[in-house]
Amino acid sequence: GYHKRVLVEMKFSENKQHWDGIKKQLPTYQDVENIKDGIYLIIAHYAEGLKDIDELKKLAIKTGETYKINIIPVVIDASLDKPSASKIK
């Protein structure tokens, strides 16, 4: 058995439909599966993809309140425009 379940929805920041994921898809999946907690994972390959993070966090709170669920936004900065850690001396 399990004690707690969490749904994870993952999108790339450059996917223009990623807003639908947090507003519609994840809440729908959580409802169907009767799961209260969800993680909305965004992977940003470019620095530009990080510019809407504050808006994403606000939307997660608003959507959670609307559907009476918890949505935790997580952002992974995978941008290529920074030095490789293995090359830093």
Side-chain angles (χ1 to χ4, degrees):
Y2 52 82
H3 297 283
K4 187 170 186 170
R5 297 190 306 161
V6 176
L7 274 173
V8 178
E9 176 74 16
M10 182 172 62
K11 300 280 189 201
F12 294 118
S13 64
E14 56 267 19
N15 179 344
K16 297 304 175 198
Q17 295 179 353
H18 76 82
W19 297 108
D20 287 340
I22 200 166
K23 290 190 292 190
K24 298 176 185 173
Q25 289 176 314
L26 184 55
T28 300
Y29 298 148
Q30 287 179 250
D31 181 51
V32 169
E33 296 292 331
N34 196 28
I35 297 175
K36 186 148 182 85
D37 298 314
I39 295 173
Y40 193 71
L41 179 69
I42 291 285
I43 300 173
H45 287 112
Y46 306 99
E48 182 180 317
L50 299 170
K51 67 179 180 169
D52 294 328
I53 300 309
D54 289 335
E55 187 175 342
L56 179 74
K57 290 176 181 178
K58 290 175 188 174
L59 185 58
I61 292 168
K62 181 179 177 183
T63 303
E65 290 171 350
T66 300
Y67 292 97
K68 295 182 178 31
I69 56 176
N70 299 316
I71 298 178
I72 301 164
V74 176
V75 179
I76 296 176
D77 180 357
S79 56
L80 303 173
D81 54 351
K82 53 188 172 193
S84 169
S86 63
K87 295 182 181 180
I88 297 175
K89 295 182 182 186

